[in-house]
Amino acid sequence: MIQFNIHRFAMVARWSLTNDKSFYVRTLLQMFVLLTLMFLFFTTSFYWLRGADTGYRPCCVVVVMMFFIQVALGPAMMFNSMKGKHDMHALLLLPASNFEKYLMRYTTWIYVLGLTFVAFFGADLVQYVFNWLIGNNPQFVTGALFGRLNPPIVNWEAIGSKKVTVINALIILFLWTQSCFALGATFFRSHKYSWILTLLVLIFLSMVQSWLFPISYENQFDMIHGDAITLLYISDAVYGIWGIVNYWLSYKIFCRTQNIGKFVNI
């Protein structure tokens, strides 16, 4: 069977979106209620006593953290919409390739991220109208957020290549983290708590790494200076290859998944 066919993938996507409709609707409503309550709490409570826009600062911080966590841990929700063995059995029996099924399940976090954006804008509108009705001087959280995230024109010559290298390293580390949660989603059978189990494994690996390769704060700071920048390039290569291997293993474990077992899919 051809691993990817756009028409067959469209059928898998239509089946998944129809089957997971209740999950997406529930997620949208939960995020809308959560964000609305949070916005109203910060923008209508005692924060207003300290300044007209002070209450919007924690809103911006929470929203940025929420989106960051959703993207990083997104692949871990690959099977959250599955209600039990029946849904998993139906997925495995779909007339499609394993790559098409895996790709559709992987993109679940992208749909959830889109719904979170919808919930965010809806909650922002509600808090604006509510603050306007009670006589506050309202503003949109969206405007406050972009006002704080919009940097001045970047002067690449002033930044220098070393700082750009550090930024690239952070991006690679972020993608590696996402690949770990993608691997955990298919390795652990617990769909609901796979992200917690994966996080515990990452914490354990971090402790082992700190024990085997102790690096002081001064050495970490010096990473952007001198010859030590070479170690950063090596780290980028290692974590980049490791991330690719994680995605490959995640797919391979998905291909071997059976509707039996207790803890892991091997």
Side-chain angles (χ1 to χ4, degrees), residues 174-230:
F174 182 79
L175 294 176
W176 169 81
T177 303
Q178 193 187 64
S179 72
C180 291
F181 285 100
L183 176 57
T186 57
F187 179 75
F188 296 108
R189 294 194 64 84
S190 175
H191 298 159
K192 186 177 181 180
Y193 300 108
S194 63
W195 69 274
I196 297 179
L197 298 173
T198 305
L199 186 61
L200 292 176
V201 172
L202 291 179
I203 293 175
F204 174 76
L205 291 178
S206 299
M207 294 172 62
V208 173
Q209 182 185 25
S210 300
W211 177 62
L212 293 177
F213 307 102
I215 299 177
S216 65
Y217 174 80
E218 291 77 10
N219 289 336
Q220 289 179 342
F221 182 79
D222 289 339
M223 285 293 291
I224 60 175
H225 302 286
D227 297 334
I229 198 69
T230 304

Side-chain angles (χ1 to χ4, degrees), residues 27-185:
T27 301
L28 175 62
L29 293 177
Q30 289 175 345
M31 295 305 301
F32 174 74
V33 172
L34 177 64
L35 289 172
T36 300
L37 293 176
M38 183 192 71
F39 289 167
L40 291 177
F41 171 77
F42 284 123
T43 60
T44 60
S45 64
F46 60 90
Y47 288 95
W48 280 98
L49 301 177
R50 297 187 232 164
D53 68 337
T54 308
Y56 289 92
R57 296 175 186 174
C59 290
C60 295
V61 173
V62 173
V63 167
V64 171
M65 291 181 58
M66 180 188 67
F67 281 113
F68 179 84
I69 293 174
Q70 276 202 343
V71 174
L73 275 65
M77 64 179 68
M78 196 179 299
F79 303 106
N80 282 11
S81 60
M82 297 291 181
K83 301 180 179 64
K85 290 185 176 182
H86 175 74
D87 285 352
M88 195 65 187
H89 182 71
L91 174 65
L92 295 176
L93 292 180
L94 283 178
S97 68
N98 287 326
F99 179 73
E100 292 162 347
K101 299 174 188 177
Y102 176 81
L103 185 61
M104 184 59 213
R105 299 319 305 177
Y106 173 81
T107 55
T108 298
W109 71 271
I110 300 178
Y111 298 115
V112 173
L113 188 65
L115 293 176
T116 304
F117 273 106
V118 174
F120 166 70
F121 290 122
D124 194 11
L125 179 61
V126 170
Q127 71 81 21
Y128 183 90
V129 173
F130 185 84
N131 280 292
W132 175 73
L133 290 175
I134 65 176
N136 286 335
N137 183 23
Q139 61 175 302
F140 286 105
V141 177
T142 306
L145 181 62
F146 278 102
R148 288 171 171 79
L149 293 180
N150 187 24
I153 299 176
V154 178
N155 187 345
W156 292 105
E157 294 182 359
I159 290 179
S161 60
K162 292 182 179 179
K163 291 185 179 180
V164 175
T165 301
V166 173
I167 294 175
N168 292 336
L170 292 176
I171 294 175
I172 292 175
L173 184 61
F174 182 79
L175 294 176
W176 169 81
T177 303
Q178 193 187 64
S179 72
C180 291
F181 285 100
L183 176 57

